[in-house]
Amino acid sequence: MAAYITHPALSSLCKINCNINAIYSLISFSRRISISSVLSTSAVTTESEAAGQGVRGQRRSKRQAGEPRTERMTVDQDWTAVYPTAASFKPSTVPLPVRMGYPVKRGVPPAKKGNLELIKIPNFLHLTPVAIKKHCEALKQFCTEWPSALDSDEKCMKHFPIQVQSKEFVSAGLSLKNPDARIVTLKVKLSSLNLDDHARKKMIKLGEERYCKDTDTLTITTDSCPLRQQNYDYAMYLLTVLYHESWKTEAWEQEKTRADMEEYEWEDSPSQKNVLDTLLRMRPLGAKDEVEELLGQPAVQEYRDTMLRLKNEGETEENLHKYKEAVKKLFNI
Amino acid sequence: MNLHKLSSRLCPTVSKFRHLHIQSSGQQLEAVAVETESTEPNPLSVFRTSEQNPTYHSERHTGQYYTLPPAHIQKLFPHGLPPRFQLQIKTFNEGCVMVRPPVLELISYLKKADYSKPPLRYILYGDIGTGKSMSLSHALHYCYTQGWLIVHIPDAHLWVKNCKELLPSSSRPSRFDQPIQASQWLKNFKITNEGFLSKIKTTQQYVWTKRESTEKGQPLGVLVDQGVNRMKSSSDVVGAVLRELRLQAGGTTEGEGAFKLAVAVDGVNALWGKTSLKKEDRTMVCWCKPEELTLIHNLRKMMKNNWSGGAILTALSQTGSLFKPQSAYLPSELLGEEGFDNMEPFVPVSVSNYNEKEFESCYLYYLERNWLQHPHSRSEEGKKELIFLSNKNPSILERLCAFL
């Protein structure tokens, strides 16, 4: 195997979709191990030293610290050798003049030497682009080739509109398994499905909060079954059922009221009635006039457009301004 | 009334303690002052205009203050002006209103509108404290000078909250009356429209109780008196008065009785909002809905455009409204769905904060009135501070200057 794997227990072979939490838990796990090992050794040494000193109890002179390793680092060194795995921040090993912390009394943030803040936070010094390239090179022997025909995102979406995501976890603890590994997320864009107007509206209503209007994506997350395979099958089943149900029209769907409508429609709305009433009062219907003709006037159409914009897009100063213009035209002010 | 103004013009740097002396000796100065007024061109009144009639206000008057004649204030606005402005009138001894673009726009629409058609509804909307109520009062002053009949409800929110007496209606079982509010409004209506009360006649008979009724053909004044004297039926009287006005506004048949009707409601979003009045309903206490109140019900009928010969001027108001967030100021937010459907099609008129010129005017006006006592407020720095603190919002500026 490659040289970067020094501690088999600490290595993390993750799939691309592995999240930071998993890595973080590994780092904290490793840190716990390293700190606990340090503590145990120091406890042992102090005990032996105290036994050696005996009654005197004087502090032995501290050994001087040598020059930090950063002084001897060249610019073109191999960084993957310095930080091969996830490790805490070591100020003598990182040649960057980093400062972190609160500037007390209008001063500057404290330097990196002995800075607990820098040690506490997670760092990605082991995941530089060079290191990741090395990881990829090592993993390539286990991968199959990417199909050459799918060279752009659009083609991928066109041929594979359904995206299924799941997470893999590797842990070295009392149990190798992680219960979160069974969660499956299925994402599909409704534009790629064959839906007509009624089916689309019904699907969105059935999906409730699983549908995102901005990206037009339906996201189904399943975690009710214990195995990933079962959850995947369940998610596919849900998608199939939603699709077929939204194509059917039930008898009670005729009772859909204005409050249930997703978008504002001007036809048959109180707004249309008001405008019609007002116009009729201004000029009573002659023998030749017809309601449709009255409504077909350009001023009325413009009013209709502004109303639709006001109601569907929400009210803004700009929309209100356009509405004012339309009303003025309608009444010839 | 003008003594104070004249004396302050003559000695612009007088300290506040000498004001009292000057007012008493003003009579001696009056003779002198009359001559000086015509000769010296007053530098301080660049923000004032002498055009008292709103009919002639135009773009060149924007940012300038015009004085409301005190006789008009008493007649037209017995209850109508915003409370802080009323305090200002008492302090400065004069009521000065700034001419601003939204009102000029509104007045131009009123001038151009055709009064044989159904009335147009104008809604003044804007952020808190930008001057919607003041603009409404200005427009109403225009209508008054043109001789219209004014129906002015200064704040519709006062009718949906804090009513001490709520009686079940005598005429309809499911409604509630507010006798105090109704009779007070009728009193103010009488003061404003003194002239019309004898000219308009009722078109049908109204029966109030077994012994009281108003016959057909009686002048409107009798109806109004009935409501003022008999508190119990005052809410129904209001309804009757509004109905009569609706039927007869813009009447072309009677040459003498033809009048134009201006319905002005401030805080119109109260009509379709919620109330904070409780009703006892078979041992259960629940909130009244606005339509269960007689006054609100009748006012809603006025808001419809099924009559002709007038205009409906309204202003939205968040400050008095119930259960509405402070950030709401656009029409559909404050009116709600029902209100919007009832009020449209309407012409929205936006009222915003002062611009540079208007702020300058206001600042000079307060300086001239010696309202800004703090010495720092007269400097450029002070002015910049005022701009920053108030963001040129009229009401905040007014409250700030009150401290200085």
Side-chain angles (χ1 to χ4, degrees), chain B residues 315-359:
Chain B
L316 297 174
S317 165
Q318 192 280 332
T319 28
S321 70
L322 293 162
F323 307 111
K324 286 275 181 227
Q326 227 190 20
S327 56
Y329 75 97
L330 292 167
S332 66
E333 287 168 351
L334 283 176
L335 284 172
E337 269 234 36
E338 208 194 325
F340 195 88
D341 287 333
N342 274 305
M343 284 298 282
E344 63 128 8
F346 61 88
V347 180
V349 181
S350 159
V351 183
S352 56
N353 288 332
Y354 284 152
N355 60 16
E356 299 286 338
K357 189 171 165 210
E358 291 169 344
F359 179 83

Side-chain angles (χ1 to χ4, degrees), chain A residues 271 274 281 303 315 324 328, chain B residues 105 109 305 332 341 344 348:
Chain A
S271 163
N274 282 339
R281 268 180 226 134
Y303 182 80
E315 208 175 10
K324 188 160 94 167
K328 272 166 45 175
Chain B
E105 201 187 322
Y109 294 152
N305 57 357
S332 66
D341 287 333
E344 63 128 8

Side-chain angles (χ1 to χ4, degrees), chain A residues 33-317:
Chain A
I33 291 181
S34 51
I35 290 174
S36 57
S37 59
V38 165
L39 281 173
S40 51
T41 47
S42 61
V44 165
T45 47
T46 46
E47 262 185 76
S48 59
E49 278 172 8
Q53 292 294 333
V55 187
R56 261 181 286 152
Q58 272 178 15
R59 244 194 342 169
R60 188 182 271 219
S61 54
K62 260 187 1 187
R63 192 177 53 156
Q64 289 295 342
E67 79 170 343
R69 188 173 152 187
T70 53
E71 309 287 317
R72 277 176 279 134
M73 278 180 174
T74 55
V75 178
D76 52 356
Q77 70 173 331
D78 180 21
W79 182 255
T80 53
V82 182
Y83 265 85
T85 48
S88 58
F89 183 86
K90 297 182 189 69
S92 53
T93 321
V94 178
L96 303 167
V98 183
R99 286 179 174 271
M100 178 139 165
Y102 181 74
V104 176
K105 269 195 199 168
R106 312 294 314 162
V108 293
K112 64 176 176 175
K113 191 166 170 202
N115 194 336
L116 194 59
E117 302 294 323
L118 282 165
I119 301 177
K120 284 197 285 190
I121 54 166
N123 66 64
F124 292 96
L125 294 161
H126 56 291
L127 290 177
T128 50
V130 183
I132 293 184
K133 263 210 180 59
K134 281 197 185 167
H135 294 323
C136 290
E137 288 304 320
L139 284 170
K140 269 205 171 103
Q141 51 183 300
F142 304 105
C143 299
T144 53
E145 245 187 69
W146 185 259
S148 54
L150 292 173
D151 47 5
S152 72
D153 269 343
E154 289 84 27
K155 282 196 192 154
C156 291
M157 283 304 292
K158 189 174 127 200
H159 294 286
F160 300 97
I162 303 181
Q163 289 181 313
V164 178
Q165 288 175 333
S166 61
K167 293 178 196 160
E168 303 259 2
F169 296 88
V170 175
S171 62
L174 290 172
S175 153
L176 291 173
K177 301 186 185 172
N178 190 322
D180 286 340
R182 76 188 193 285
I183 303 175
V184 170
T185 311
L186 194 143
K187 285 198 182 144
V188 65
K189 273 202 171 33
L190 286 190
S191 46
S192 51
L193 295 174
N194 180 20
L195 296 167
D196 73 349
D197 192 44
H198 160 263
R200 194 191 147 82
K201 286 195 180 144
K202 187 162 175 186
M203 191 131 175
I204 293 173
K205 256 205 180 5
L206 287 171
E208 289 164 10
E209 71 254 1
R210 293 177 188 78
Y211 176 71
C212 171
K213 211 160 66 155
D214 298 327
T215 55
D216 190 34
T217 329
L218 183 71
T219 312
I220 301 177
T221 313
T222 41
D223 62 351
S224 22
C225 306
L227 295 181
R228 187 188 296 138
Q229 175 65 34
Q230 295 169 339
N231 278 320
Y232 171 75
D233 289 336
Y234 180 46
M236 292 303 284
Y237 163 74
L238 280 179
L239 183 63
T240 324
V241 161
L242 271 175
Y243 179 77
H244 289 295
E245 283 299 314
S246 53
W247 269 102
K248 292 187 212 166
T249 314
E250 304 277 341
W252 42 259
E253 281 183 42
Q254 306 297 326
E255 296 162 24
K256 195 173 179 189
T257 58
R258 275 194 79 80
D260 295 324
M261 297 281 178
E262 296 84 12
E263 269 186 351
Y264 183 80
E265 278 172 6
W266 198 66
E267 285 71 28
D268 281 339
S269 71
S271 163
Q272 192 195 26
K273 262 184 255 142
N274 282 339
V275 169
L276 201 56
D277 285 337
T278 319
L279 286 174
L280 287 176
R281 268 180 226 134
M282 294 202 320
R283 212 169 42 103
L285 269 184
K288 293 173 276 186
D289 286 343
E290 276 201 18
V291 174
E292 279 80 24
E293 207 181 285
L294 208 61
L295 288 176
Q297 285 167 10
V300 179
Q301 288 298 314
E302 199 185 320
Y303 182 80
R304 172 181 172 272
D305 290 332
T306 50
M307 269 307 281
L308 282 174
R309 213 173 308 148
L310 259 185
K311 293 278 188 170
N312 285 335
E313 286 170 26
E315 208 175 10
T316 58
E317 289 281 339

Side-chain angles (χ1 to χ4, degrees), chain B residues 18-81:
Chain B
R18 289 170 62 198
H19 265 179
L20 302 165
H21 292 287
I22 287 167
Q23 272 198 328
S24 54
S25 60
Q27 282 151 356
Q28 300 158 14
L29 291 172
E30 205 193 287
V32 182
V34 171
E35 289 155 32
T36 48
E37 206 188 54
S38 49
T39 50
E40 109 190 342
N42 209 319
L44 289 174
S45 58
V46 75
F47 55 89
R48 280 189 197 269
T49 172
S50 47
E51 186 55 71
Q52 307 294 7
N53 195 340
T55 328
Y56 304 116
H57 285 157
S58 66
E59 267 85 44
R60 57 192 182 84
H61 293 122
T62 49
Q64 294 186 329
Y65 278 89
Y66 85 99
T67 327
L68 282 172
H72 283 190
I73 298 182
Q74 254 184 343
K75 279 214 93 182
L76 177 54
F77 298 121
H79 57 167
L81 292 167

